[in-house]
Amino acid sequence: CQGNKISFDYFTKNTDADLKAFVDKKSQKKVGDLVAQKNKSDENDPIKDSMNFLLEYDFVRLHNSDEEIKFVPTRLGLACLSSAINPKDGIFLFAELQKARQNFVLECDLHAIYLVTPITVTNQLKDLDWSHFFHLYDALPEVMKRVGEMVGVKDRFFVRGITGKIKEETDYHDLAIHKRFFTALALQELVNEVPITVVARKYKITRGVLQSLQQTAASFAAILTTFCESLQWNLLVLILKQFRERLFFGIHPDLIDLMKIPSINSTKVARALFNAKIKSLSELANTKKVQIEDILMAVADNGSFFMSGKSVEVPIEEIASLMISDAQAFVQCELGITGAKWNDADESKGTLEQST
C-alpha cells in the first residue's frame, strides 16, 4: 500500500469506502453463484425427481400435521413394496388388474392365467409362427376368444405378423399382448394336466422353454397375489392364489392338497390317488399301506418309481410308506400337535389320537 491507495484483484481503490463497496460486491456475487448452483443441483436432484414421481402417480401422499409434514404410502405404494415390484411395473399392473376386475371372464381359466403370465415372456419367445398362432386362435371356443378380445388380441395384428410387417420398436405393446396370450394358451393346457411333451409339440415350443415359462408364471402368480392382497382386492386374491401351485405342478385345483408333500412328485400318482377316493392328505394319512401299494402298482411301469433327489428307482413298498409318513407329518404340523399316534380303526382306515 502507498498512501491511501490499495491494489486488489487488478483494481485500485482509493478509499476505505471504495474497498468496502468492492468487498460487498464480490460477496454478493459469490452468494449469487452459490444460489444458482443450488437451484441447478435441485433441478437434477434424483431424490427430488423420485419423490415427485411417487406423488404424481399416487404411490405416496403428503400428510400435514401440527408438528411436521410426512410422506405416507398409499395402498398402491405398499402393494409395490410388499411384492417387490418397481413403480413403473406397478402402474401397469394396477391398470391391468383394475380393468380385469370390471370385466373378468370366469367361464374358463384363461383370463386368470393371462394375468399371471409376466410380460417378460416377450424376451423368451423370440420368434412366433404367426400363421400357426392364428390357426390355434381361430379354433378356440368363443369364451376364450372373448378373453383374447378383452386383453387386446386383434385379427389385423395376426395379418401383420403373417406378412412380416411387425416392427418391435413401434409395435412393442401389441406384440407383448399377443405373446402373453400365446403363452397363456400353452400354460392353460399344462394346468389341465396335458403332458408337457404334447403341449410343446402343439405350440411349437421347446420343452425347456415351456418349463421355464411355467416356473416363471408360477413365481409371478405368487407376486401378483401379494400385490392384490396389499390392495385388499380379496376376490381377485381368491382367484389368483391357486395358480402358483397349479402352474408349478401343472394340475387341476383338486390335486393341490395331495401335491403338498415331496413324496408325491408326479401328477399321474396324485390323480391315481384322487380317483381311488383319497382326495386329501388327511385321508392319505389314514390309509393303509397295502391300499397305497395297490394304487401305485396300477400306475407303475415296472414295480418301482424314480423320486426327486434319488438317482435310482425306489420300490413301491418304500414309496407307499414314505407317502403315509409325509402325510401324517404334514397333518400334525397343520393341526399344531405333536406325538400323535396313528391307529388302524378298520381294514382300510385309521384314526388320529393325540398322546397325552
Side-chain angles (χ1 to χ4, degrees):
C1 299
Q2 295 181 355
N4 61 350
K5 287 187 176 183
I6 299 175
S7 176
F8 186 74
D9 196 23
Y10 303 104
F11 292 95
T12 300
K13 300 299 175 182
N14 295 317
T15 64
D16 292 339
D18 290 338
L19 177 62
K20 184 175 183 301
F22 174 76
V23 171
D24 289 343
K25 184 176 180 181
K26 297 290 283 185
S27 299
Q28 289 173 5
K29 183 178 184 300
K30 187 174 183 180
V31 170
D33 291 342
L34 289 173
V35 171
Q37 185 178 358
K38 182 179 184 301
N39 290 336
K40 185 177 180 180
S41 64
D42 286 344
E43 291 176 0
N44 300 322
D45 186 0
I47 297 177
K48 185 177 180 180
D49 292 342
S50 298
M51 293 309 300
N52 287 335
F53 173 84
L54 295 176
L55 283 168
E56 181 181 356
Y57 289 97
D58 202 31
F59 289 98
V60 296
R61 58 184 175 83
L62 286 174
H63 177 71
N64 295 317
S65 63
D66 296 334
E67 298 180 355
E68 59 182 350
I69 299 176
K70 297 189 295 184
F71 290 100
V72 179
T74 62
R75 284 186 183 176
L76 177 58
L78 290 173
C80 290
L81 181 64
S82 61
S83 56
I85 295 175
N86 70 63
K88 289 186 178 180
D89 289 343
I91 294 171
F92 172 80
L93 286 175
F94 182 81
E96 186 174 65
L97 292 170
Q98 188 77 282
K99 180 181 176 182
R101 290 175 70 213
Q102 297 169 2
N103 299 283
F104 205 99
V105 179
L106 295 173
E107 296 174 79
C108 64
D109 294 329
L110 185 58
H111 198 174
I113 293 173
Y114 176 85
L115 292 176
V116 300
T117 303
I119 198 169
T120 53
V121 299
T122 55
N123 300 324
Q124 294 176 271
L125 292 178
K126 295 297 182 183
D127 297 312
L128 279 182
D129 185 338
W130 288 98
S131 179
H132 180 63
F133 185 8
F134 177 73
H135 286 305
L136 290 172
Y137 180 76
D138 193 50
L140 291 176
E142 286 301 319
V143 62
M144 293 187 184
K145 286 185 178 180
R146 188 160 72 249
V147 174
E149 291 170 1
M150 288 180 59
V151 300
V153 176
K154 302 169 185 175
D155 288 342
R156 65 175 178 269
F157 198 79
F158 282 114
V159 175
R160 293 186 60 195
I162 293 169
T163 56
K165 295 181 179 179
I166 294 176
K167 297 180 180 179
E168 289 194 17
E169 297 79 10
T170 56
D171 298 316
Y172 179 80
H173 179 69
D174 287 335
L175 186 60
I177 288 173
H178 287 74
K179 284 188 175 182
R180 283 181 74 194
F181 188 77
F182 179 80
T183 304
L185 289 175
L187 294 176
Q188 182 186 229
E189 302 260 12
L190 292 178
V191 299
N192 286 326
E193 299 178 25
V194 179
I196 191 168
T197 52
V198 176
V199 178
R201 192 181 309 117
K202 179 178 178 179
Y203 289 88
K204 296 184 178 181
I205 307 173
T206 63
R207 180 168 177 164
V209 170
L210 188 56
Q211 286 177 323
S212 176
L213 292 171
Q214 182 182 359
Q215 301 311 313
T216 302
S219 300
F220 189 66
I223 292 172
L224 205 60
T225 301
T226 304
F227 186 81
C228 292
E229 283 175 344
S230 298
L231 291 171
Q232 298 182 8
W233 291 349
N234 298 324
L235 291 177
L236 206 53
V237 169
L238 291 175
I239 295 171
L240 300 177
K241 193 173 185 179
Q242 60 174 304
F243 283 98
R244 180 181 178 274
E245 290 83 6
R246 290 190 63 191
L247 284 165
F248 187 82
F249 296 113
I251 55 174
H252 280 287
D254 53 9
L255 296 185
I256 289 177
D257 192 44
L258 288 173
M259 295 295 293
K260 288 180 179 178
I261 58 175
S263 51
I264 301 180
N265 60 357
S266 167
T267 305
K268 188 164 127 179
V269 172
R271 179 56 63 190
L273 292 170
F274 189 89
N275 292 338
K277 309 300 181 185
I278 303 173
K279 300 181 179 180
S280 66
L281 290 179
S282 60
E283 293 176 349
L284 176 60
N286 286 295
T287 303
K288 294 190 73 174
K289 178 183 173 183
V290 64
Q291 186 179 351
I292 303 297
E293 290 176 0
D294 290 341
I295 295 169
L296 294 176
M297 189 67 72
V299 297
D301 294 328
N302 54 1
S304 58
F305 284 92
F306 278 103
M307 291 192 63
S308 298
K310 297 190 177 183
S311 58
V312 296
E313 291 184 339
V314 181
I316 282 178
E317 295 80 6
E318 185 178 337
I319 294 179
S321 298
L322 189 59
M323 285 182 181
I324 293 172
S325 62
D326 282 353
Q328 290 173 351
F330 186 90
V331 171
Q332 289 184 81
C333 182
E334 287 289 294
L335 295 176
I337 61 177
T338 57
K341 294 181 180 179
W342 300 83
N343 299 320
D344 292 336
D346 54 47
E347 190 171 281
S348 61
K349 295 290 180 181
T351 59
L352 171 65
E353 295 180 357
Q354 184 177 358
S355 61
T356 58

